[in-house]
Amino acid sequence: MPIVSITRIVRFNAAHRVYNPAWDDARNASTFGKCNNPNWHGHNYVLEVTVEGEVDPETGFVVNLADVKRVAERELVDVIDHKNLNLDVPFMTGTIPTTENLVLACWRILAPAVAPARLAKLKLWETENQYVEYTGR
Amino acid sequence: MPIVSITRIVRFNAAHRVYNPAWDDARNASTFGKCNNPNWHGHNYVLEVTVEGEVDPETGFVVNLADVKRVAERELVDVIDHKNLNLDVPFMTGTIPTTENLVLACWRILAPAVAPARLAKLKLWETENQYVEYTGR
Amino acid sequence: MPIVSITRIVRFNAAHRVYNPAWDDARNASTFGKCNNPNWHGHNYVLEVTVEGEVDPETGFVVNLADVKRVAERELVDVIDHKNLNLDVPFMTGTIPTTENLVLACWRILAPAVAPARLAKLKLWETENQYVEYTGR
Amino acid sequence: MPIVSITRIVRFNAAHRVYNPAWDDARNASTFGKCNNPNWHGHNYVLEVTVEGEVDPETGFVVNLADVKRVAERELVDVIDHKNLNLDVPFMTGTIPTTENLVLACWRILAPAVAPARLAKLKLWETENQYVEYTGR
Amino acid sequence: MPIVSITRIVRFNAAHRVYNPAWDDARNASTFGKCNNPNWHGHNYVLEVTVEGEVDPETGFVVNLADVKRVAERELVDVIDHKNLNLDVPFMTGTIPTTENLVLACWRILAPAVAPARLAKLKLWETENQYVEYTGR
Amino acid sequence: MPIVSITRIVRFNAAHRVYNPAWDDARNASTFGKCNNPNWHGHNYVLEVTVEGEVDPETGFVVNLADVKRVAERELVDVIDHKNLNLDVPFMTGTIPTTENLVLACWRILAPAVAPARLAKLKLWETENQYVEYTGR
């Protein structure tokens, strides 16, 4: 049976500050540059959620994408959207809110939540010029 | 010799209705929701056709992409564009016209048609928020 | 007081057939071409709804755009999305469902519905290569 | 002599909170909803800067767009990018940082700064689904 | 009768060099910068062609957009696409090929060619960050 | 430790002519069509540079993307942008400037230049309808 992947895109916007609290200001400034602004800055994030599997002959679906959307909105968008990644998002507490760490946190939440669908890839855009991808490796 | 993939994007728009004729109306409605509308609805589809291979030192091409475009237009766009996937497209007859089934049908047609180029991936967008991918697995 | 315009984008997809029932098949075919397909075709429509006015010093808003979005979704998206423009949409009955006629119908519905906000412009995309605009002239 | 307009797009991202400090929490919450989050949220803003005038026959330019870009970056992007609109941006102090108020502030700064080029329009996107426009009226 | 505008987008790519042959190299370099490269550079141009008029009650069209597309392709795209604006395009001979001058030349050609449709606006993108607009003023 | 990939997008525009100097004109014309125009044509290229690795727990970064951007701009954009691929770009000398050959040349330059970051993929868009990808295979 052929394996098809299917992707739903969700969006949220949030504030964050990228810095390591164990470092002094000079090291934070030289490492993180503008992203270290103490009063925060923010982004419109775009998250592509990809699941994969065989196509069910009764529905023509790998999975009902409406379910994937509902799970992604309940578990991620409702928690992150219009929030501060450093202060307001429980699953990011104690984590430097880079795009890399955010995509890993999203994976840990979504992978079990979309089961039995199999999460195959997350692609997270921070700006229209940069994105990260994670496939569970 | 390095292996490069090269992609051409083609577009078509079509009407469809997603339902299983073996089911009653209630089950179709609960499974397919708005996509089950009896009078059809439609989309602007975007199909990314990826072939791969070694680069020919005489042309600098993996394949002449104009040929891939011509094949994709003749075999797919001319058959699907401004048509009804359930009623007008011979290669979808008897198939629930989900994006998953449509991408598999496109693969079965394109893989031999682009030979000797090797079809590597199809990515089919149904809306700007969802797409499927198939790599022949 | 300065006049600012503010725009909210909404999306819907629908099937339609462009033809004049008063004409014979040959004239419909020569005038409307592929858009005249008897079994319908469809599009992902994108509608930009622009209202304008003075900025309220208490809110910093011309109008609460959440209200514009709610009205546009209730009056237009819920009625058109995943529907057939010829058969399912009451406000298009008896009208050739071109993009021009659709934008005029949307204006007639939205202009009173967004009041007291002043509808300034509608821009309706049928495909990523064509759109119509109407400003109430 | 014909009048042509020419537009340069610049981008910045910033955090903000939309609220009226003269109001109590309940009124702020009911008016501004998610945008009132006390710990901020943020956006990737896109600003289209349009100037207009006659085409200089010696250069073929209305204005050297590199100059417009340099001015917009110095006066706006360098001040706003990776900053907090409420706390870090002098020209927004005491202003509710809605998109409407931000575009008016950008106009007040850019109109004299691009002279003798004539500022004709600013279009400011807050998300890919909403934008404001101002033409100096 | 309401006036609606309708737009068709066409695309072409071309090489050019922006310089004034009456000037010496130093003045060309300081005015035109990188665009003055003697061995040319190039762009993917996007042209939005807008016509306007009343909606014909028999067709629901302002104009058959397929006709506008055909005219724009015959008069502009076939002449410019994959060409050198300075050397290969007759209607640009003796003109500095800035985006401003190119949009004016396109207007002079299209305005009579789309008649009796009334050309209302041309918007020409040179890169995704800059564009010019002309409305016949 | 999980492996994340991270991508930075850079842009440049350039002129080129696709032809094989060892062939006669007729064979060049029939193979390369419009791309063989002797007076050049050009494109706005978009290059997605993807590196991958483990996430550093001290920074939350796979790599500081600002460094990747700086390297890509210094090694590629500054050399190609507003230039002629056939005449002005040393690393393309003697190579047919197809998108395939250009992406391979970019890989040879970037792979060592981004070290110790591991270059994982390059995706190069020539127009919005076609792109090539290379992963070092």
Side-chain angles (χ1 to χ4, degrees):
Chain A
M1 291 288 288
I3 302 293
V4 175
S5 78
I6 181 158
T7 299
R8 172 75 206 187
I9 297 178
V10 295
R11 294 152 206 274
F12 49 87
N13 50 71
H16 74 154
R17 178 192 178 191
V18 182
Y19 75 112
N20 185 334
W23 291 355
D24 62 20
D25 286 356
R27 189 170 177 196
N28 272 304
S30 72
T31 303
F32 297 115
K34 292 184 298 181
C35 301
N36 178 42
N37 183 46
N39 287 326
W40 326 98
H41 65 285
H43 299 288
N44 302 330
Y45 290 93
V46 179
L47 178 65
E48 306 186 20
V49 179
T50 301
V51 299
E52 68 176 14
E54 297 179 356
V55 178
D56 181 333
E58 281 213 302
T59 60
F61 285 161
V62 166
V63 60
N64 194 325
L65 205 58
D67 294 336
V68 173
K69 175 173 180 270
R70 190 163 27 233
V71 166
E73 290 184 340
R74 185 187 65 216
E75 301 293 330
L76 296 181
V77 177
D78 291 352
V79 180
I80 303 172
D81 188 39
H82 282 76
K83 293 291 169 57
N84 184 307
L85 291 175
N86 301 64
L87 303 177
D88 296 328
V89 179
F91 63 72
M92 291 299 288
T93 300
T95 307
I96 303 175
T98 58
T99 325
E100 289 94 325
N101 279 337
L102 183 55
V103 82
L104 289 172
C106 290
W107 182 278
R108 283 190 294 268
I109 287 166
L110 275 186
V114 298
R118 185 162 72 246
L119 191 61
K121 183 160 130 175
L122 293 179
K123 182 175 184 175
L124 177 61
W125 295 78
E126 188 177 74
T127 72
E128 67 172 24
N129 283 324
Q130 59 193 73
Y131 59 81
V132 298
E133 292 168 292
Y134 184 59
T135 59
R137 289 191 292 167
Chain B
M1 291 287 287
I3 302 293
V4 175
S5 78
I6 181 158
T7 299
R8 173 71 205 188
I9 297 179
V10 295
R11 295 151 207 275
F12 49 87
N13 50 70
H16 74 155
R17 178 193 178 190
V18 182
Y19 75 111
N20 184 332
W23 291 356
D24 63 20
D25 286 357
R27 190 171 177 194
N28 272 304
S30 72
T31 301
F32 297 114
K34 293 184 297 183
C35 301
N36 179 42
N37 183 46
N39 286 327
W40 326 98
H41 65 285
H43 298 288
N44 302 330
Y45 291 92
V46 179
L47 179 65
E48 306 185 21
V49 179
T50 302
V51 299
E52 68 175 15
E54 298 180 355
V55 178
D56 181 333
E58 281 213 303
T59 60
F61 284 161
V62 167
V63 60
N64 194 325
L65 206 56
D67 295 336
V68 174
K69 175 172 180 271
R70 190 164 26 236
V71 167
E73 289 184 341
R74 186 187 63 215
E75 302 292 330
L76 296 180
V77 177
D78 291 353
V79 181
I80 303 172
D81 188 38
H82 283 76
K83 294 291 170 56
N84 183 308
L85 292 175
N86 302 65
L87 302 178
D88 296 328
V89 179
F91 63 71
M92 291 299 289
T93 299
T95 306
I96 303 175
T98 58
T99 325
E100 288 95 324
N101 279 337
L102 183 55
V103 82
L104 289 172
C106 290
W107 182 279
R108 283 189 295 267
I109 288 166
L110 276 186
V114 300
R118 184 163 73 245
L119 190 61
K121 184 161 130 176
L122 293 179
K123 182 175 184 176
L124 177 60
W125 295 78
E126 188 177 75
T127 72
E128 67 173 24
N129 283 323
Q130 60 193 70
Y131 60 80
V132 298
E133 292 168 291
Y134 184 59
T135 59
R137 289 192 294 166
Chain C
M1 291 287 289
I3 302 293
V4 175
S5 79
I6 181 158
T7 299
R8 172 74 205 187
I9 297 179
V10 295
R11 294 151 207 275
F12 49 87
N13 49 71
H16 74 154
R17 178 192 177 189
V18 182
Y19 75 112
N20 185 333
W23 291 355
D24 62 21
D25 285 356
R27 190 170 176 197
N28 271 304
S30 72
T31 303
F32 298 114
K34 291 184 298 180
C35 301
N36 178 41
N37 182 45
N39 287 326
W40 325 98
H41 65 285
H43 298 290
N44 303 329
Y45 290 92
V46 178
L47 178 65
E48 307 186 19
V49 179
T50 302
V51 298
E52 69 177 12
E54 298 180 355
V55 178
D56 181 333
E58 281 214 302
T59 59
F61 284 162
V62 166
V63 60
N64 194 325
L65 206 57
D67 294 337
V68 174
K69 175 173 181 270
R70 190 164 24 234
V71 166
E73 289 184 340
R74 186 188 64 215
E75 301 292 331
L76 296 181
V77 178
D78 292 352
V79 180
I80 303 172
D81 188 40
H82 282 75
K83 294 290 169 55
N84 184 307
L85 291 175
N86 302 64
L87 302 178
D88 296 328
V89 178
F91 62 71
M92 290 299 287
T93 299
T95 307
I96 303 175
T98 58
T99 325
E100 289 95 324
N101 279 337
L102 183 56
V103 82
L104 289 172
C106 290
W107 183 278
R108 284 189 293 268
I109 287 166
L110 275 186
V114 299
R118 186 164 70 245
L119 191 61
K121 183 161 132 177
L122 293 178
K123 182 175 183 175
L124 177 60
W125 295 77
E126 189 178 76
T127 72
E128 66 173 24
N129 284 324
Q130 58 192 73
Y131 59 80
V132 298
E133 292 168 291
Y134 184 58
T135 59
R137 290 192 292 166
Chain D
M1 289 289 287
I3 302 293
V4 175
S5 79
I6 181 158
T7 299
R8 172 72 204 189
I9 298 179
V10 295
R11 296 151 206 275
F12 49 87
N13 50 71
H16 75 154
R17 178 192 178 191
V18 183
Y19 76 112
N20 184 334
W23 291 356
D24 63 20
D25 286 357
R27 190 171 177 194
N28 271 305
S30 72
T31 301
F32 297 114
K34 292 184 298 181
C35 301
N36 178 42
N37 182 47
N39 287 326
W40 325 98
H41 65 286
H43 298 288
N44 302 329
Y45 290 93
V46 178
L47 178 64
E48 306 185 19
V49 179
T50 302
V51 299
E52 68 176 14
E54 297 179 357
V55 179
D56 181 332
E58 280 214 302
T59 60
F61 284 162
V62 166
V63 60
N64 194 325
L65 206 56
D67 294 336
V68 174
K69 174 172 181 271
R70 190 162 27 234
V71 166
E73 290 183 340
R74 186 187 64 216
E75 302 292 330
L76 297 181
V77 177
D78 291 354
V79 180
I80 303 173
D81 188 38
H82 282 75
K83 293 291 169 55
N84 183 307
L85 292 175
N86 302 65
L87 302 178
D88 296 329
V89 179
F91 63 71
M92 291 298 288
T93 300
T95 307
I96 303 175
T98 58
T99 325
E100 289 94 325
N101 279 336
L102 183 55
V103 82
L104 289 172
C106 290
W107 183 278
R108 282 189 295 268
I109 288 166
L110 276 186
V114 299
R118 185 162 73 245
L119 190 61
K121 183 161 132 176
L122 293 179
K123 182 175 184 176
L124 177 60
W125 295 78
E126 188 177 77
T127 71
E128 66 171 24
N129 283 323
Q130 58 193 71
Y131 58 81
V132 298
E133 292 167 291
Y134 184 58
T135 59
R137 290 192 291 167
Chain E
M1 291 289 288
I3 303 293
V4 175
S5 79
I6 182 158
T7 299
R8 174 71 205 189
I9 298 178
V10 295
R11 295 150 207 277
F12 48 87
N13 50 71
H16 74 155
R17 178 192 179 192
V18 183
Y19 76 111
N20 184 333
W23 292 356
D24 63 20
D25 286 355
R27 190 172 176 194
N28 271 305
S30 72
T31 303
F32 296 115
K34 292 183 297 181
C35 301
N36 178 42
N37 183 46
N39 287 326
W40 326 97
H41 65 285
H43 299 289
N44 302 330
Y45 290 92
V46 178
L47 178 65
E48 306 185 20
V49 179
T50 301
V51 299
E52 68 177 13
E54 297 180 357
V55 179
D56 181 332
E58 281 213 303
T59 60
F61 284 162
V62 167
V63 60
N64 194 326
L65 205 56
D67 294 337
V68 174
K69 176 173 181 270
R70 188 164 26 233
V71 166
E73 290 184 340
R74 186 188 62 215
E75 301 292 330
L76 297 180
V77 178
D78 291 353
V79 180
I80 304 172
D81 189 38
H82 282 75
K83 295 288 169 56
N84 184 308
L85 292 176
N86 302 64
L87 302 178
D88 297 328
V89 179
F91 62 73
M92 291 299 289
T93 299
T95 307
I96 303 175
T98 58
T99 326
E100 289 94 326
N101 279 337
L102 183 55
V103 82
L104 289 172
C106 290
W107 182 279
R108 283 189 294 268
I109 287 165
L110 275 186
V114 299
R118 185 163 73 245
L119 191 61
K121 182 161 134 176
L122 293 179
K123 182 175 184 176
L124 177 61
W125 294 77
E126 189 177 74
T127 72
E128 66 173 25
N129 284 324
Q130 57 193 75
Y131 60 82
V132 298
E133 292 168 291
Y134 184 58
T135 59
R137 288 192 294 166
Chain F
M1 291 289 288
I3 302 294
V4 175
S5 78
I6 182 159
T7 299
R8 173 73 204 186
I9 298 178
V10 295
R11 295 151 207 275
F12 48 87
N13 50 70
H16 74 155
R17 178 192 178 191
V18 183
Y19 75 111
N20 184 333
W23 292 355
D24 63 21
D25 287 355
R27 188 169 178 197
N28 272 305
S30 72
T31 302
F32 297 115
K34 292 184 297 180
C35 302
N36 178 42
N37 182 46
N39 287 326
W40 325 97
H41 65 285
H43 299 288
N44 302 330
Y45 291 93
V46 178
L47 178 65
E48 307 185 19
V49 179
T50 301
V51 299
E52 68 177 13
E54 297 179 356
V55 178
D56 181 333
E58 281 212 303
T59 59
F61 284 163
V62 167
V63 60
N64 195 325
L65 205 56
D67 294 336
V68 174
K69 176 173 180 270
R70 188 163 28 235
V71 167
E73 290 183 342
R74 186 187 64 216
E75 302 291 331
L76 297 181
V77 177
D78 291 353
V79 180
I80 304 172
D81 188 38
H82 283 74
K83 294 288 170 56
N84 184 307
L85 292 175
N86 302 65
L87 303 178
D88 296 328
V89 178
F91 63 72
M92 291 299 290
T93 299
T95 307
I96 304 175
T98 58
T99 326
E100 290 94 324
N101 280 337
L102 183 55
V103 83
L104 289 172
C106 290
W107 182 279
R108 283 189 294 268
I109 288 166
L110 275 187
V114 299
R118 187 163 70 245
L119 190 61
K121 183 160 130 176
L122 293 179
K123 182 175 184 175
L124 176 60
W125 295 77
E126 188 177 74
T127 72
E128 67 173 23
N129 284 324
Q130 59 193 72
Y131 59 82
V132 298
E133 293 168 291
Y134 184 58
T135 59
R137 289 192 291 166

